[in-house]
Amino acid sequence: MKNIVSYLKAGLLSGCLLLSSGCELDIPNPNAASDIEVLNSREGIIALSVGVRQFYSTSGLEAALLYPGVTGREMKGVATFTNVLELEAGGSDLPTFNGNVLGLWSRMQRVMVMSEQILENAPNIPT
């Protein structure tokens, strides 16, 4: 009985130590520009527009072409990914929480937000 109590005390003490000694992993990058610095400078707007083009050409177009193509059976999905197999099934078999469908919308929303930021702040930049 003493062994059980001592093991419980040791387990409780180690659990408390683990919970109280956690470290913060959200370390700010001192070299990264803030949103205000990017959107209020000529170089920042140019860099953001290059970033939008790069993001759209690599991530946005991939989602916009591959996922509807798999659903319409114009392309063949890789059989090892469950999300792509669900897209191939389509119809009522496609769950609303499919990661590829959500990824398609979230990528396009990200492109739209970055583009709107450029359009809103570009006229305010001195030449």
Side-chain angles (χ1 to χ4, degrees):
M1 189 67 172
K2 285 185 176 183
N3 285 339
I4 294 174
V5 172
S6 64
Y7 285 131
L8 286 175
K9 285 182 183 180
L12 184 64
L13 180 64
S14 62
C16 289
L17 285 174
L18 284 174
L19 289 176
S20 65
S21 66
C23 61
E24 183 179 339
L25 296 177
D26 189 20
I27 301 170
N29 183 358
N31 296 324
S34 67
D35 291 347
I36 295 171
E37 293 171 341
V38 168
L39 296 174
N40 290 328
S41 69
R42 181 176 182 270
E43 293 81 14
I45 292 289
I46 291 171
L48 183 60
S49 63
V50 169
V52 168
R53 184 176 182 182
Q54 185 269 338
F55 180 78
Y56 181 73
S57 64
T58 57
S59 297
L61 277 180
E62 181 239 347
L65 296 175
L66 178 64
Y67 304 150
V70 169
T71 303
R73 301 211 193 316
E74 297 168 355
M75 296 180 176
K76 177 69 176 155
V78 179
T80 58
F81 298 118
T82 306
N83 288 343
V84 178
L85 293 175
E86 291 172 351
L87 284 175
E88 282 183 352
S92 61
D93 293 336
L94 183 63
T96 57
F97 55 84
N98 184 281
N100 292 348
V101 175
L102 296 176
L104 170 64
W105 290 106
S106 65
R107 290 175 189 181
M108 292 302 132
Q109 289 290 334
R110 185 172 175 192
V111 168
M112 288 173 43
V113 166
M114 289 190 288
S115 301
E116 287 172 357
Q117 288 176 340
I118 292 171
L119 290 174
E120 288 173 2
N121 293 297
N124 304 331
I125 304 298
T127 55

